[in-house]
Amino acid sequence: AALLVEGAGLGTAALVVAQNPDVADVFRGTASAVVVESNACLDDLPTRSPSDVRDRHAVFAGRLIAWKGAAIAIEALSRPEAAEWTLTVYGDGYERPRLERLTRRLGLSERVEFAGHRPRPEVLQAIARAEVFLFPSMHDQAGWVAAEASAMGCPVVCLPLGGPPTLADRNAH
């Protein structure tokens, strides 16, 4: 989460390079300088064409574990102002059965699709065609998928925590 430069350890480092503002806050006061530098490596991204974007369609991609926030993305669709939206959830994990039950309980089965674990190019193509990418992770040091979505020009809806807003840069909402 952080790289110590020019020093033997905390308290003596001349520079700490952190990958997001939350990590930088932990190290403030322990070095002469603390900087934030995201570290996403982006390659082979599909082109996002406005004519291919599906109106009112969102994508979530990540492991289906509690702190990734897929439940938040699904619950957002139950709000009246989101009545026209659909969501495709890419990924698998121990939370999937609970998320599928939540989807049924909220009456969203016709609007939420669980695509499971899919090849990276397929997921990136889906993000390129989505109106927004939902990534409400509550604890993510470096959610590279947020950087990938942003680099393609897809707006990223994320919480102001950890790495996703830093990686999504100007496309974070």
Side-chain angles (χ1 to χ4, degrees):
L3 171 67
L4 301 174
V5 180
E6 297 180 24
L10 289 180
T12 60
L15 173 65
V16 173
V17 180
Q19 64 186 27
N20 66 59
D22 291 342
V23 172
D25 288 345
V26 170
F27 288 98
R28 292 209 197 285
T30 65
S32 300
V34 178
V35 297
V36 175
E37 286 295 330
S38 60
N39 60 358
C41 179
L42 308 173
D43 62 350
D44 300 327
L45 298 177
T47 303
R48 181 176 167 89
S49 169
S51 63
D52 293 335
V53 172
R54 293 175 58 188
D55 288 339
R56 303 287 187 242
H57 182 73
V59 167
F60 171 93
R63 290 179 293 150
L64 299 185
I65 57 179
W67 54 266
K68 287 288 188 175
I72 295 171
I74 291 167
E75 288 171 358
L77 261 69
S78 70
R79 298 182 58 88
E81 58 269 28
E84 296 178 15
W85 283 82
T86 58
L87 171 67
T88 302
V89 177
Y90 288 91
D92 274 315
Y94 69 83
E95 280 278 291
R96 183 169 176 167
R98 186 181 78 81
L99 296 170
E100 290 174 336
R101 285 191 306 274
L102 174 66
T103 299
R104 287 190 300 274
R105 184 172 52 81
L106 294 174
L108 299 173
S109 296
E110 299 297 316
R111 296 174 35 218
V112 176
E113 173 191 2
F114 289 87
H117 182 76
R118 307 297 308 145
R120 181 176 179 265
E122 183 179 327
V123 175
L124 291 175
Q125 188 62 44
I127 294 169
R129 291 192 340 254
E131 188 168 338
V132 298
F133 178 66
L134 300 180
F135 197 67
S137 179
M138 294 165 269
H139 178 73
D140 222 306
Q141 295 296 322
W144 284 16
V145 68
E148 290 169 324
S150 180
M152 288 186 281
C154 185
V156 177
V157 178
C158 58
L159 300 176
L161 303 168
T166 300
L167 292 166
D169 193 33
R170 67 189 175 281
N171 284 324
H173 299 281

